[in-house]
Amino acid sequence: KDFSSVDETNPLATGTPFACTPVPPATACPINVAGNRLTRSPEWKLSGGLEQSFDLGSVGTLTARFNTSWVGKQFTRPFNDQPYVIGSYWRSGARIVWTDRSKRFSVTGYVDNLENNDVAADKETNPSFALFLPRGTYLPPRTWGVRFGATF
């Protein structure tokens, strides 16, 4: 089946270098995007993690965890065009958790985005802006911290 969409950055385009003249009452030309990849859907994503707990006797438990993910290339528009591509990337994190013997209290030290990569989460255009310049958002940079927990 065919699937068509309209490119808001160039509503008269039917695929470079072609153009169309819409037949009234239409004001745009649909583009067949059948066979294109779905938006924000990488073809491949691989994830894994390692976790090891250490019994500290009467002091509690210490648990170390490492996780990582590789995310393949993604498109943010149905036209699968540049510059609306998010390249493949790695994201990893690490945690160390101390839990007391009663499992009532815990302290967690963590680091997310160990690679400190700048990764776009989204890329789009702003149709209300005359130049249709791309804009987007980014995933968080490397973050780290300590969390304290209590169970009641």
Side-chain angles (χ1 to χ4, degrees), residues 7-152:
D7 184 348
E8 75 277 3
T9 62
N10 188 2
L12 299 181
T14 59
T16 306
F18 307 104
C20 80
T21 303
V23 177
T27 58
C29 298
I31 298 172
N32 186 345
V33 293
N36 285 6
R37 298 250 308 271
L38 292 173
T39 60
R40 296 170 188 83
S41 299
E43 186 172 2
W44 292 98
K45 179 177 181 178
L46 305 172
S47 298
L50 299 170
E51 182 173 293
Q52 179 67 50
S53 293
F54 304 94
D55 186 355
L56 302 177
S58 63
V59 179
T61 305
L62 191 66
T63 303
R65 177 167 178 76
F66 172 78
N67 58 283
T68 191
S69 293
W70 178 83
V71 180
K73 176 174 73 173
Q74 303 172 62
F75 298 97
T76 62
R77 292 175 11 118
F79 312 105
N80 292 181
D81 55 345
Q82 292 286 352
Y84 308 99
V85 175
I86 298 172
S88 61
Y89 61 90
W90 285 94
R91 295 283 280 195
S92 303
R95 307 250 180 294
I96 296 179
V97 182
W98 169 80
T99 307
D100 77 326
R101 194 75 173 153
S102 69
K103 297 186 179 178
R104 183 168 179 210
F105 299 102
S106 64
V107 179
T108 303
Y110 67 92
V111 180
D112 291 325
N113 189 8
L114 287 167
E115 300 84 0
N116 202 24
N117 291 336
D118 291 330
V119 177
D122 193 20
K123 293 181 180 180
E124 57 188 35
T125 58
N126 183 352
S128 63
F129 188 64
L131 297 177
F132 292 100
L133 295 174
R135 65 179 179 165
T137 56
Y138 282 84
L139 296 176
R142 179 181 297 148
T143 54
W144 57 273
V146 177
R147 292 187 181 113
F148 298 94
T151 303
F152 300 99

